[in-house]
Each structure stands twice: as structure tokens, then as C-alpha cells.
Amino acid sequence: MSSRPTPSRRPLSGEGPVILHSATDPRWLPLALENFDAVLVDHAHCEKKAAANALSLLQAYPDLPGLPAQMARLAREESAHLARVLDIMEARGLTLTKDSGDPYAQGLQKLVRTPAAERRTDRLLVAAIIEARSCERLSLLAEGLTDPALARFYGELAQSEDGHQSLFFRLAVTASGGDDAPVRERMEWMLGHEARVLEDIGVRAAIH
């Protein structure tokens, strides 16, 4: 029998539009807490790539209404998160290692279509899904960490990620002409694949 979590229709990622199809494996949180230093290093890389992705989207789609200012603000916010994670790492005697890549994000990138218009929508939806999963994982850390300051920090980050997934979904709708029905249909298809990507990767001491 498969150990894949039972799909849920409750908003696992928060109150935004991206409702994940599967909950995180219950084995993930104990593993993440046991190897929290490794999770911190991975988290720093995630924040770094989130800032870089915001600037990449700004570079690629400067003509999409609302995107340039939103991505500039998002890049600044993600960079601030990165600085805070690096401060926590320094206090724990950790250094940032070389980024070995993220099989989760790489798996989602394979879903992005090639034609320009579809690629733009898909890139925004992939970003929304990553933020939704991050929201869920950071919420779990906030609940599981015993250090009050760390728990509060991860709770704040989870709230930020919930807002980010809503932002990316809204931009995807704008990119598709304002009709959210086909965007939601595409997102549901991608979320089904996202659940399988997580299952294929297995449980890791990492944010994704």
C-alpha cells in the first residue's frame, strides 16, 4: 500500500487560492527538527532563490501590469528574510554551503510550457505553488520548534508566504487576460503533479 498522504481539500497552505492536493508527510517535521541546522542552510538557499526569481520575473515580464513594482518589493522582502536566516545561522556557528540544487523546484519547472504566453502563466503558477508549500512547511516548523523566538520567526514567514502565493496567482490571472477559470484549471493540473514530485523526492531535511 502506498504511503502517500491522503489528498485533502482544506487549504493546507493557508487562506489563499492555492489549495495543496496533499499534506506533508508526518515524518517530515520530526526529521526537520532533528536536523534543523541542515534545514536552516537549505532555507537560506530557498530565500536566496526566491529573491532571484522575483528579479528574473521582473526582467522577463516588465510589461505585465502590476508585476514590476510587486516583484521589486518581493525581492527586497525575500532578501530581508535571507538576511535574518543568515543571522540565525551565524549565531549557531553555521556557514552557507554551496547550493546543491532543489529537486522539488526542478521537478515543478519541468511542467512549464514552452510558448511565450503559456510559459509566463506557468512560471507564475509554479511560483505560487512553491510559496504555498513553503507556507505549509514553515507553519509546521513554527508549531514544532520549542525556541519561542524561532517559532515566532517561522510563524511570521509562513504568513508572508501565504500572501506571496496569492500574489503570484493574481499575476497569473492577469497574465492570462483576467479570466481565472482556465488558470485555476491549469493550477489544479500542476498541483496534482506537485504531489507526485514530493512523493518521488521522499522525506528530506529540507524546506521542500
Side-chain angles (χ1 to χ4, degrees):
M1 179 180 296
S2 173
S3 62
R4 181 178 176 181
T6 302
S8 171
R9 300 308 301 164
R10 67 184 177 85
L12 296 168
S13 59
E15 299 304 322
V18 185
I19 301 176
L20 300 171
H21 283 197
S22 65
T24 284
D25 190 305
R27 296 174 297 172
W28 178 81
L29 182 58
L31 180 67
L33 295 175
E34 183 180 350
N35 299 276
F36 186 62
D37 284 353
V39 172
L40 271 174
V41 174
D42 179 73
H43 185 191
H45 284 302
C46 288
E47 297 291 358
K48 173 197 66 182
K49 286 180 279 196
N53 185 59
L55 293 177
S56 174
L57 289 168
L58 192 162
Q59 173 70 19
Y61 310 118
D63 56 339
L64 185 65
L67 185 144
Q70 295 280 12
M71 290 302 101
R73 283 192 288 267
L74 183 60
R76 183 175 59 210
E77 182 179 342
E78 301 288 20
S79 295
H81 292 169
L82 169 59
R84 292 180 69 183
V85 174
L86 290 173
D87 285 344
I88 294 170
M89 288 174 53
E90 183 178 5
R92 297 169 73 95
L94 304 174
T95 56
L96 189 63
T97 57
K98 184 177 180 180
D99 188 353
S100 60
D102 183 349
Y104 171 77
Q106 292 165 3
L108 294 184
Q109 291 297 335
K110 293 178 182 178
L111 306 179
V112 175
R113 292 168 290 184
T114 302
E118 289 86 351
R119 177 175 176 79
R120 182 172 66 173
T121 297
D122 284 358
R123 285 190 67 186
L124 292 166
L125 286 178
V126 164
I129 291 169
I130 291 174
E131 296 285 359
R133 182 61 70 181
S134 297
C135 174
E136 186 216 19
R137 294 278 174 98
L138 298 182
S139 294
L140 289 172
L141 285 173
E143 295 169 2
L145 287 163
T146 56
D147 183 302
L150 283 175
R152 183 168 55 254
F153 173 59
Y154 276 92
E156 292 170 357
L157 290 188
Q159 290 183 344
S160 294
E161 305 297 76
D162 200 34
H164 297 166
Q165 57 113 340
S166 296
L167 168 62
F168 280 118
F169 179 80
R170 291 195 305 271
L171 288 172
V173 171
T174 299
S176 298
D179 183 359
D180 71 347
V183 177
R184 287 187 179 278
E185 182 178 357
R186 178 66 179 169
M187 182 176 68
E188 288 299 310
W189 180 85
M190 296 178 89
L191 285 167
H193 282 271
E194 188 263 358
R196 288 190 284 276
V197 167
L198 272 187
E199 184 177 22
D200 290 342
I201 292 172
V203 182
R204 307 188 310 140
I207 297 298
H208 301 123

